[in-house]
Amino acid sequence: KLAKEGKRMSEIGIILRDQYGVPDIRLFGTRIAKIVDKEFKKEVPEDMYNLIYKAVNVHRHMDTNKKDSKAKHGLELLESKIRRLGKYYSRTGKLIKGWKYSVDKAKLLVK
Protein backbone atom coordinates (compact mmCIF):
# COMPACT_ATOMS: atom_id res chain seq x y z
CA LYS A 1 0.00 0.00 0.00
CA LEU A 2 2.77 2.44 0.93
CA ALA A 3 4.77 1.59 -2.18
CA LYS A 4 1.74 2.30 -4.36
CA GLU A 5 1.55 5.74 -2.78
CA GLY A 6 5.07 6.41 -4.05
CA LYS A 7 6.99 5.98 -0.81
CA ARG A 8 10.61 4.87 -0.98
CA MET A 9 11.81 1.78 0.89
CA SER A 10 13.50 3.81 3.61
CA GLU A 11 10.32 5.85 4.14
CA ILE A 12 8.27 2.65 4.34
CA GLY A 13 10.60 1.31 7.04
CA ILE A 14 10.31 4.50 9.07
CA ILE A 15 6.51 4.52 8.78
CA LEU A 16 6.30 0.86 9.84
CA ARG A 17 8.55 1.59 12.81
CA ASP A 18 6.88 4.81 13.98
CA GLN A 19 3.21 4.26 13.24
CA TYR A 20 2.76 0.49 13.37
CA GLY A 21 5.33 -0.51 16.00
CA VAL A 22 7.31 -2.88 13.76
CA PRO A 23 10.91 -2.52 14.97
CA ASP A 24 12.46 -4.38 12.05
CA ILE A 25 10.75 -5.98 9.07
CA ARG A 26 13.48 -8.64 8.96
CA LEU A 27 11.93 -10.20 12.05
CA PHE A 28 9.26 -11.57 9.70
CA GLY A 29 11.86 -13.29 7.52
CA THR A 30 11.78 -10.89 4.58
CA ARG A 31 12.98 -7.46 3.53
CA ILE A 32 11.10 -4.45 2.27
CA ALA A 33 13.17 -4.46 -0.92
CA LYS A 34 12.04 -7.98 -1.84
CA ILE A 35 8.38 -7.10 -1.37
CA VAL A 36 8.58 -3.75 -3.17
CA ASP A 37 10.85 -4.89 -6.02
CA LYS A 38 8.38 -7.53 -7.14
CA GLU A 39 5.71 -4.95 -7.88
CA PHE A 40 7.54 -1.68 -8.39
CA LYS A 41 10.84 -2.12 -10.20
CA LYS A 42 12.86 1.10 -10.08
CA GLU A 43 15.38 2.21 -12.68
CA VAL A 44 18.20 2.23 -10.12
CA PRO A 45 18.25 0.96 -6.52
CA GLU A 46 17.42 3.47 -3.81
CA ASP A 47 20.89 3.67 -2.24
CA MET A 48 22.46 4.34 -5.62
CA TYR A 49 19.80 6.95 -6.40
CA ASN A 50 20.66 8.79 -3.17
CA LEU A 51 24.36 8.83 -4.10
CA ILE A 52 23.56 10.09 -7.59
CA TYR A 53 21.35 12.80 -6.12
CA LYS A 54 24.24 13.96 -3.91
CA ALA A 55 26.63 13.95 -6.87
CA VAL A 56 24.28 16.09 -8.96
CA ASN A 57 23.99 18.59 -6.11
CA VAL A 58 27.79 18.75 -5.75
CA HIS A 59 28.12 19.25 -9.52
CA ARG A 60 25.68 22.13 -9.28
CA HIS A 61 27.78 23.59 -6.45
CA MET A 62 30.97 23.14 -8.46
CA ASP A 63 29.50 25.09 -11.39
CA THR A 64 29.37 28.22 -9.26
CA ASN A 65 32.39 27.51 -7.00
CA LYS A 66 35.14 26.26 -9.28
CA LYS A 67 37.96 26.65 -6.75
CA ASP A 68 36.36 24.62 -3.97
CA SER A 69 38.97 21.88 -3.81
CA LYS A 70 37.39 20.03 -0.88
CA ALA A 71 34.12 19.70 -2.77
CA LYS A 72 36.03 18.54 -5.84
CA HIS A 73 37.76 15.81 -3.84
CA GLY A 74 34.47 14.80 -2.22
CA LEU A 75 32.88 14.61 -5.66
CA GLU A 76 35.66 12.34 -6.90
CA LEU A 77 35.13 10.00 -3.94
CA LEU A 78 31.36 10.06 -4.41
CA GLU A 79 31.55 9.27 -8.12
CA SER A 80 34.03 6.49 -7.41
CA LYS A 81 31.55 4.99 -4.94
CA ILE A 82 28.78 5.23 -7.55
CA ARG A 83 30.92 3.44 -10.15
CA ARG A 84 31.84 0.64 -7.72
CA LEU A 85 28.23 0.18 -6.69
CA GLY A 86 27.20 0.21 -10.35
CA LYS A 87 29.63 -2.60 -11.14
CA TYR A 88 28.24 -4.64 -8.26
CA TYR A 89 24.61 -4.05 -9.23
CA SER A 90 25.21 -4.84 -12.90
CA ARG A 91 26.98 -8.04 -11.88
CA THR A 92 24.11 -9.10 -9.60
CA GLY A 93 21.40 -8.16 -12.12
CA LYS A 94 19.83 -5.16 -10.40
CA LEU A 95 21.10 -2.94 -13.22
CA ILE A 96 21.53 -3.70 -16.90
CA LYS A 97 24.82 -5.24 -17.99
CA GLY A 98 27.44 -2.68 -18.88
CA TRP A 99 25.77 0.16 -16.95
CA LYS A 100 27.98 3.27 -16.90
CA TYR A 101 27.73 6.38 -14.76
CA SER A 102 27.75 9.73 -16.51
CA VAL A 103 26.92 13.16 -15.17
CA ASP A 104 24.48 13.95 -17.97
CA LYS A 105 22.45 10.77 -17.40
CA ALA A 106 22.54 11.41 -13.66
CA LYS A 107 21.10 14.91 -14.07
CA LEU A 108 18.27 13.50 -16.19
CA LEU A 109 17.59 10.73 -13.66
CA VAL A 110 17.37 13.10 -10.69
CA LYS A 111 15.04 15.61 -12.38
Side-chain angles (χ1 to χ4, degrees):
K1 175 183 164 188
L2 295 171
K4 288 180 183 176
E5 293 174 4
K7 303 285 186 192
R8 296 179 307 204
M9 288 182 277
S10 58
E11 292 174 336
I12 292 172
I14 291 171
I15 290 171
L16 288 175
R17 182 193 70 199
D18 294 344
Q19 294 179 2
Y20 297 101
V22 178
D24 192 3
I25 193 73
R26 287 178 279 180
L27 293 175
F28 300 113
T30 187
R31 296 181 144 238
I32 296 172
K34 288 185 180 180
I35 298 168
V36 172
D37 280 346
K38 290 178 183 175
E39 299 177 18
F40 304 98
K41 188 71 174 171
K42 300 288 183 182
E43 190 173 340
V44 294
E46 184 182 3
D47 56 347
M48 183 171 238
Y49 177 81
N50 292 336
L51 290 173
I52 291 173
Y53 184 79
K54 282 183 189 180
V56 168
N57 284 338
V58 175
H59 269 285
R60 194 174 302 132
H61 169 78
M62 290 299 294
D63 289 341
T64 57
N65 303 292
K66 299 210 181 287
K67 294 194 176 197
D68 190 353
S69 59
K70 287 188 178 186
K72 185 176 182 180
H73 179 66
L75 180 64
E76 290 170 355
L77 295 176
L78 190 58
E79 288 180 338
S80 173
K81 190 180 291 188
I82 291 169
R83 284 189 209 97
R84 287 192 313 259
L85 198 58
K87 285 181 187 177
Y88 168 73
Y89 280 147
S90 65
R91 191 172 57 236
T92 58
K94 292 186 179 182
L95 288 175
I96 59 172
K97 295 287 182 189
W99 183 87
K100 297 283 183 190
Y101 169 78
S102 72
V103 178
D104 299 328
K105 289 181 187 176
K107 287 181 181 178
L108 291 174
L109 179 69
V110 170
K111 286 186 179 181

